[in-house]
Amino acid sequence: MRIKNICCIGAGYVGGPSMAIIAKYCPDIQVNVVDINPQRIAQWNDKLLSNLPIYEPGLDKIIQKCRNKNLHFSNNIKQQIENADMIFISVNTPTKLKGIGAGQAIDLRYVEASSREISKYAKGHTIVVEKSTLPVKTAQTIKDILDATTKKNISDNKTFSVLSNPEFLAEGTAIKDLENPDRVLIGGEDRIAIDALVEIYSKWIDKNKVMTTDLWSSELSKLIANAFLAQRISSINTISALCEATGAQIKDVALAVGMDKRIGRYFLNSGPGFGGSCFKKDISNLVYISNHYGLFEVANYWQKVLDINSWQQERFVELIVKKMFGTISSKTIAILGFSFKANTNDTRESPAIYISKKLIEEGAFLKIYDPKVTNQQIELDLQVDNQKNLNKNWIFCESIYDVFEKADAAVFITEWQEFEHLDWLKISNIMIKPSWIFDTRSIVNIEKVKESNLNIWQVGYGY
Ligand code: UDX
Ligand code: UDX
């Protein structure tokens, strides 16, 4: 089966970049990305590439090359579903906020809604591909919805194959990850559908890197890959506290441990805890599934990974208050970086949100700087607790040195590269004395900071 027309439902951090790459490497395929959000589509279609809804290094060049040629963004969901031979579901799958499994289970309402749209509008044979990270057995839900319509409208001649093809890209390196992935995973039962998807990936990826499994193994593998990655971060973060207490250096410990090939050197940077849209949501879901199957020890084990993540952020706030003579009331604190990691404008589950809110609650006034996150986004992130008037206690700074002006302390939360080379003498001259630098990412040069008459605390740096 040769695919000529692809539709992707969900023009987000996953749908946008992954479809852009298919369009780049498969010029014979028309790729249509659709979304229920008209504003998001307008941003994808904006002539000014700096207005794209997501910031990803290298993405703008691909959009410029392919947009309106074989890559299209629209709200025309019905028509693009009708035209498609293959449909990717890439909608968001948040944690349920209420009802059974609230706070842990995944809310499948958007996946279900997308499946219903597909069942209504698809024509002929359509391959439906799950791209979103989903609980095990979601493919069955999608199949059940699609099968129900096929049975009802036998005269329509509609048929469907469902595949699982989880996306492993990390934000900030999405284009690199998509162009050169460690593996591509395809789960399914229909060989013809699997081969059609393998054929697409083989346009730029070695076929040896494409692994095929059954549907459930594919769905579970994605969840577990995220859980293992998050677990490494919680592990190294517990050791950062131990280093601070004993006088060891986390960077050296991580390097020495990671040089063992069986452990590996990646993903061992201690910091303010993991953020992003996936890790917390996916581990919560793993805990929920394990409890559901009566595997309580398994559930408790993974719950600890989440607990350590929260604890790391709580202990940072306590530490900041303690170092600043036990009170930050009426003191000004600079926040450097608001995105959950460098090279993205995404703030979902960013440690900066928790830390900022807590510092404000303790009475501090914040000056916030981030090279890619907008003032409006920070407003949305901090106004959840509007009744506490958090918004009145912070301002957004457009330029990096403004943020230090008359500040008592500065907290580095995101590892943006521009934070590595700052003029510490200039900073020291504009901060209030005694001034504190709190580096939660181990990115600033300790010696230079100390030489500039500033106090410094760095994660995992024992004295
Ligand atoms: C999301 C999930 O968080 C992740 O688990 C999954 O692997 C992929 O989808 P992301 O792309 O980062 O990741 O989400 P987001 O940027 O929120 O994009 C989802 C898009 O789907 C939004 O633009 C939303 O408007 C759209 N959407 C949602 C639809 O088009 N239809 C719907 O019914 C629901
Ligand atoms: C993650 C997975 O890496 C990716 O495979 C999956 O598809 C989606 O979830 P993402 O959340 O975009 O990707 O970024 P990632 O680089 O994994 O970082 C997640 C969080 O962990 C960030 O807050 C990051 O700062 C933190 N992190 C990462 C550390 O604190 N230390 C590290 O060594 C690595």
Side-chain angles (χ1 to χ4, degrees):
M1 184 181 176
R2 248 193 89 231
I3 304 299
K4 293 200 185 97
N5 219 308
I6 287 179
C7 170
C8 171
I9 309 179
Y13 283 87
V14 172
S18 54
M19 291 306 118
I21 292 291
I22 293 184
K24 175 177 168 186
Y25 288 101
C26 306
D28 299 337
I29 299 179
Q30 288 296 316
V31 182
N32 288 284
V33 188
V34 295
D35 202 289
I36 46 169
N37 181 344
Q39 197 196 339
R40 196 159 238 200
I41 290 298
Q43 284 175 295
W44 279 111
N45 284 323
D46 202 304
K47 282 209 178 75
L48 213 61
L49 289 168
S50 56
N51 286 344
L52 291 180
I54 68 176
Y55 171 72
E56 262 311 329
L59 176 65
D60 48 357
K61 284 202 181 72
I62 303 174
I63 298 292
Q64 190 171 31
K65 183 169 177 253
C66 303
R67 194 171 56 187
N68 300 329
K69 292 191 182 96
N70 68 330
L71 177 64
H72 313 272
F73 296 92
S74 80
N75 297 113
N76 206 341
I77 301 174
K78 175 177 178 290
Q79 195 198 328
Q80 297 313 337
I81 289 178
E82 266 177 25
N83 293 346
D85 317 305
M86 183 177 270
I87 302 176
F88 287 86
I89 300 181
S90 201
V91 297
N92 39 332
T93 47
T95 303
K96 272 183 89 169
L97 294 177
K98 47 185 184 188
I100 300 168
Q104 286 188 332
I106 299 266
D107 187 343
L108 284 177
R109 78 170 92 165
Y110 303 125
V111 174
E112 201 185 313
S114 304
S115 308
R116 285 182 196 282
E117 302 265 82
I118 295 171
S119 72
K120 218 190 308 175
Y121 302 124
K123 288 200 170 145
H125 184 66
T126 312
I127 300 171
V128 178
V129 188
E130 306 174 330
K131 241 299 155 237
S132 306
T133 307
L134 294 164
V136 187
K137 300 273 175 187
T138 305
Q140 192 59 51
T141 309
I142 299 176
K143 272 185 177 179
D144 289 346
I145 294 171
L146 299 176
D147 284 352
T149 15
T150 350
K151 280 186 196 124
K152 215 172 93 199
N153 303 311
I154 296 167
S155 54
D156 279 3
N157 232 357
K158 291 187 197 197
T159 49
F160 298 100
S161 294
V162 178
L163 300 179
S164 156
N165 173 220
E167 186 45 66
F168 293 97
L169 69 81
E171 288 173 33
T173 51
I175 300 304
K176 210 169 101 250
D177 298 342
L178 285 161
E179 294 201 311
N180 189 19
D182 289 343
R183 78 313 212 172
V184 169
L185 185 57
I186 302 176
E189 290 145 8
D190 176 354
R191 199 64 243 177
I192 296 174
I194 294 174
D195 287 347
L197 189 53
V198 171
E199 194 50 39
I200 292 175
Y201 283 115
S202 67
K203 292 283 185 294
W204 75 97
I205 296 162
D206 190 317
K207 273 194 180 157
N208 292 330
K209 280 188 176 179
V210 183
M211 178 180 169
T212 56
T213 66
D214 62 83
L215 277 167
W216 324 132
S217 303
S218 168
E219 287 178 338
L220 188 60
S221 303
K222 167 66 195 197
L223 211 57
I224 302 309
N226 277 353
F228 271 53
L229 288 169
Q231 179 205 42
R232 275 172 82 89
I233 300 170
S234 280
S235 296
I236 201 72
N237 283 345
T238 61
I239 306 308
S240 71
L242 201 55
C243 285
E244 289 158 33
T246 58
Q249 314 303 332
I250 193 67
K251 279 186 177 171
D252 292 340
V253 174
L255 188 64
V257 169
M259 279 171 86
D260 186 325
K261 279 200 201 76
R262 294 167 301 175
I263 297 170
R265 64 193 166 94
Y266 297 105
F267 245 75
L268 283 178
N269 294 324
S270 75
F274 52 79
S277 71
C278 283
F279 286 176
K280 188 173 168 203
K281 165 176 75 86
D282 290 348
I283 297 185
S284 299
N285 187 233
L286 184 58
V287 171
Y288 181 74
I289 294 173
S290 304
N291 275 325
H292 172 80
Y293 287 106
L295 300 167
F296 305 117
E297 285 74 13
V298 179
N300 292 344
Y301 175 79
W302 288 104
Q303 179 60 45
K304 274 286 159 218
V305 172
L306 291 176
D307 294 347
I308 289 294
N309 202 52
S310 308
W311 171 77
Q312 182 81 336
Q313 288 164 28
E314 286 156 20
R315 85 176 181 93
F316 284 0
V317 173
E318 277 170 27
L319 189 141
I320 291 169
V321 175
K322 205 167 140 203
K323 295 256 184 228
M324 295 178 76
F325 310 115
T327 177
I328 52 171
S329 183
S330 305
K331 289 181 183 162
T332 300
I333 300 183
I335 299 290
L336 286 106
F338 208 81
S339 56
F340 80 96
K341 63 184 279 196
N343 292 321
T344 177
N345 60 345
D346 194 352
T347 61
R348 288 177 292 180
E349 300 293 340
S350 175
I353 300 175
Y354 174 85
I355 294 174
S356 299
K357 281 183 177 175
K358 282 288 163 194
L359 294 176
I360 293 174
E361 268 174 42
E362 288 288 332
F365 179 81
L366 305 186
K367 295 176 87 178
I368 304 176
Y369 170 81
D370 187 287
K372 291 291 171 198
V373 180
T374 60
N375 187 5
Q376 291 87 328
Q377 183 58 50
I378 299 173
E379 232 158 58
L380 285 174
D381 290 329
L382 294 182
Q383 81 181 5
V384 181
D385 292 7
N386 213 6
Q387 65 277 28
K388 290 181 190 155
N389 276 337
L390 292 185
N391 276 331
K392 296 201 175 131
N393 293 309
W394 64 274
I395 52 160
F396 180 74
C397 294
E398 297 281 351
S399 109
I400 181 149
Y401 287 100
D402 280 358
V403 88
F404 295 100
E405 183 83 42
K406 296 200 171 59
D408 297 270
V411 188
F412 287 78
I413 303 183
T414 316
E415 75 287 22
W416 286 103
Q417 212 185 349
E418 68 180 275
F419 298 163
E420 287 171 28
H421 309 285
L422 295 171
D423 182 342
W424 287 107
L425 269 179
K426 179 173 171 180
I427 290 169
S428 179
N429 284 337
I430 55 180
M431 284 183 80
I432 290 176
K433 295 283 166 336
S435 14
W436 270 97
I437 304 298
F438 297 98
D439 176 9
T440 74
R441 291 277 188 178
S442 275
I443 47 164
V444 307
N445 182 321
I446 291 202
E447 297 316 318
K448 287 208 170 127
V449 175
K450 281 187 188 162
E451 279 164 20
S452 311
N453 192 22
L454 295 158
N455 297 304
I456 176 147
W457 170 88
Q458 194 172 59
V459 64
Y461 184 86
Y463 295 88

